[in-house]
Amino acid sequence: MASTPVLSAAQARALHLAAQGLLDPPRRAARRADLLAAVRRMALLQLDTIQVVARSHHLVLHARLGDYRPERLDELLAGAALFETWAHEACLAPVEDHGLHRRLLATSHHWFLRRARALQAEQGDGMAVLLEEVRRRGPVKASDFSGDRPRRPGWWAWKKEKAWLEAWLALGELMVARRERFQRVYDLTGRVLPAATREGPPDEAAARLLAIELSVRALGVTQARWINDYFRTRPRLTPEALRPLVESGRLLEVRVRGWASPGFVHRDHARLLRRAAAGALRPTRTALLSPFDPVVWDRERARAMFGFDYRLECYLPARRRRHGYFALPILRRGALVGRLDAKAHRARGVFEVKALHLEPGVAAGPGLLADLAGALTASARWHGTPEVRLGRRVAPRLRAALRERLGAESE
């Protein structure tokens, strides 16, 4: 019997980052196929509307691919290589996983689907008329309808047509055909979904196993208890629950120093695992991450793997924020070394660094400063805000050292 591979904490982080596409800087300009490959590698690309720097999904891809044309992502959606679904949260996913996501929504009794069913029970006649209108007219946006918004707050605060469109989306009758200025364009599923992907969804047991495999592969190496968060499935898994997948060879069990529980690696990463155990995976990438990046979206996992306790503070009252409204985690050569609160002022071409906090014990040495300045410069240029301006909440010594490398202004 082969012995169980043993990884150091640093080697486990390197394997995780390699699986996520964050080990090394990109070697060439990204093409549309590279965007699709990145989403397939992650299995999910979380969407979010906050645009204080850029929308989250673009930050996630830029961290992995460097400069790329954001419209390429829109083209992948419009070309039905990707589709929109609810998984971890609102996400883009590879279209070949459409059946899996339909089954997971149905078997998890997802709130999105529960609310859609409740609305259909209350307003089914109106929903049926709207669906027939889409069938007759073709793709529609919520703005094509002039209904009034209801007075009550919450998810149902949309005008009725928007709520009905979203309900049909949850129920699977409609899909997002494309986005126009980030506004959803809906059409019948039969007109959006490629014929090659219209097979019936897997049964519940098969869907559960496939979600586990996709999650483990995307994470590189993971404890059992972190797996279900990736697709937001239930229940939380135990090592014993994964034993059949280990015995069948689909998952590989490993030991990570400092972890009380075993780690698991997908068999597709067997070669990466060997390289990690040999110390041959050396992270060299420095990048600003989105708060909704898979590396940090599970707070427990980020704390256990990186010693990084991250909380997005935009939902907190201003007086309770420690690090800023939309602080971006700073990945540097295999470690999460700090967080940076930024705002892109596109009309003025200014990338404002409002605050910069390094983690306890992280020294602002020449190497870190050079890497951080490079990541800031690259990010600011890609956002169309090439002038970096350092705010007063950046510590004076750090501000002076960064200004020297950036040629940046400070307020």
Side-chain angles (χ1 to χ4, degrees):
M1 179 181 294
S3 60
T4 301
V6 179
L7 301 177
S8 69
Q11 290 167 342
R13 288 193 294 271
L15 177 52
H16 171 58
L17 294 172
Q20 282 283 317
L22 283 165
L23 192 72
D24 302 306
R27 297 183 179 179
R28 57 175 171 78
R31 303 165 186 165
R32 185 164 54 189
D34 298 320
L35 272 69
L36 181 56
V39 177
R40 283 175 170 157
R41 183 183 298 115
M42 294 182 288
L44 300 170
L45 177 61
Q46 185 171 331
L47 300 168
D48 196 80
T49 58
I50 298 174
Q51 199 176 2
V52 65
V53 180
R55 298 196 194 278
S56 173
H57 39 288
H58 292 307
L59 291 174
V60 170
L61 290 174
H62 183 259
R64 289 154 175 78
L65 302 174
D67 293 356
Y68 77 96
R69 293 168 57 187
E71 62 268 24
R72 295 296 191 205
L73 189 62
D74 298 328
E75 292 168 4
L76 289 171
L77 176 63
L82 301 174
F83 77 103
E84 290 196 25
T85 187
W86 277 88
H88 184 87
E89 292 290 348
C91 293
L92 289 173
V95 75
E96 58 266 25
D97 293 338
H98 180 266
L100 166 67
H101 284 275
R102 292 306 312 167
R103 178 63 69 195
L104 291 177
L105 277 175
T107 57
S108 67
H109 305 289
H110 195 280
W111 68 265
F112 189 50
L113 188 55
R114 290 200 311 271
R115 290 185 174 183
R117 287 170 174 163
L119 189 62
Q120 187 178 32
E122 295 173 5
Q123 303 176 29
D125 291 345
M127 285 179 60
V129 170
L130 178 69
L131 187 63
E132 185 58 36
E133 179 75 359
V134 177
R135 184 174 286 110
R136 183 183 64 82
R137 289 175 54 178
V140 301
K141 303 186 294 290
S143 60
D144 294 334
F145 303 92
S146 57
D148 296 327
R149 289 176 178 268
R151 294 183 179 180
R152 60 185 183 274
W155 195 66
W156 304 115
W158 293 322
K159 60 188 177 184
K160 62 184 181 183
E161 290 87 358
K162 169 66 173 175
W164 293 345
L165 289 167
E166 288 293 306
W168 282 127
L169 181 66
L171 293 164
E173 294 293 332
L174 297 182
M175 291 180 68
V176 178
R178 62 183 183 275
R179 290 266 189 166
E180 293 181 1
R181 295 181 179 270
F182 206 61
Q183 186 176 176
R184 281 172 167 166
V185 179
Y186 307 82
D187 201 359
L188 298 178
T189 294
R191 293 201 291 241
V192 175
L193 190 64
T197 61
R198 292 180 192 169
E199 295 180 5
D203 63 33
E204 184 174 350
R208 179 174 175 273
L209 291 176
L210 181 53
I212 291 172
E213 286 200 57
L214 288 174
S215 301
V216 176
R217 188 167 60 194
L219 290 168
V221 59
T222 178
Q223 292 185 28
R225 60 184 289 107
W226 301 333
I227 293 172
N228 70 295
D229 177 76
Y230 209 81
F231 279 81
R232 290 278 167 86
T233 56
R234 294 179 181 178
R236 179 170 276 198
L237 296 170
T238 64
E240 291 71 28
L242 300 179
R243 192 62 49 202
L245 286 170
V246 174
E247 292 173 352
S248 69
R250 304 185 77 81
L251 297 186
L252 310 173
E253 187 172 329
V254 302
R255 185 162 66 85
V256 178
R257 295 189 186 99
W259 290 11
S261 298
F264 297 91
V265 175
H266 195 273
R267 66 179 178 183
D268 289 354
H269 289 325
R271 180 173 175 273
L272 273 181
L273 173 58
R274 290 192 296 271
R275 293 185 63 205
L281 294 182
R282 301 184 181 278
T284 59
R285 181 73 167 136
T286 298
L288 306 180
L289 303 184
S290 162
F292 303 111
D293 194 290
V295 171
V296 295
W297 73 26
D298 183 336
R299 189 175 181 184
E300 178 189 319
R301 172 164 49 83
R303 189 165 51 236
M305 292 196 75
F306 293 91
F308 189 75
D309 192 0
Y310 182 72
R311 181 181 186 184
L312 178 60
E313 297 179 345
C314 65
Y315 305 114
L316 295 176
R319 67 182 182 278
R320 293 180 54 195
R321 294 176 193 146
R322 293 180 55 211
H323 300 110
Y325 179 82
F326 200 68
L328 309 179
I330 303 168
L331 174 70
R332 181 190 180 244
R333 299 178 182 266
L336 292 171
V337 298
R339 55 202 90 197
L340 181 149
D341 190 34
K343 182 175 177 61
H345 302 274
R346 290 175 179 79
R348 301 181 355 230
V350 172
F351 189 87
E352 178 188 8
V353 179
K354 294 184 170 185
L356 174 58
H357 301 271
L358 297 181
E359 290 296 283
V362 174
L368 182 142
L369 289 168
D371 287 346
L372 180 55
L376 269 171
T377 299
S379 184
R381 183 185 64 243
W382 180 70
H383 285 96
T385 53
E387 179 187 330
V388 179
R389 188 167 294 174
L390 304 175
R392 292 174 184 163
R393 292 181 60 203
V394 180
R397 288 187 179 180
L398 186 55
R399 185 166 68 239
L402 274 175
R403 282 189 66 193
E404 183 179 340
R405 287 162 176 77
L406 288 165
E409 293 188 11
S410 61
E411 296 179 345

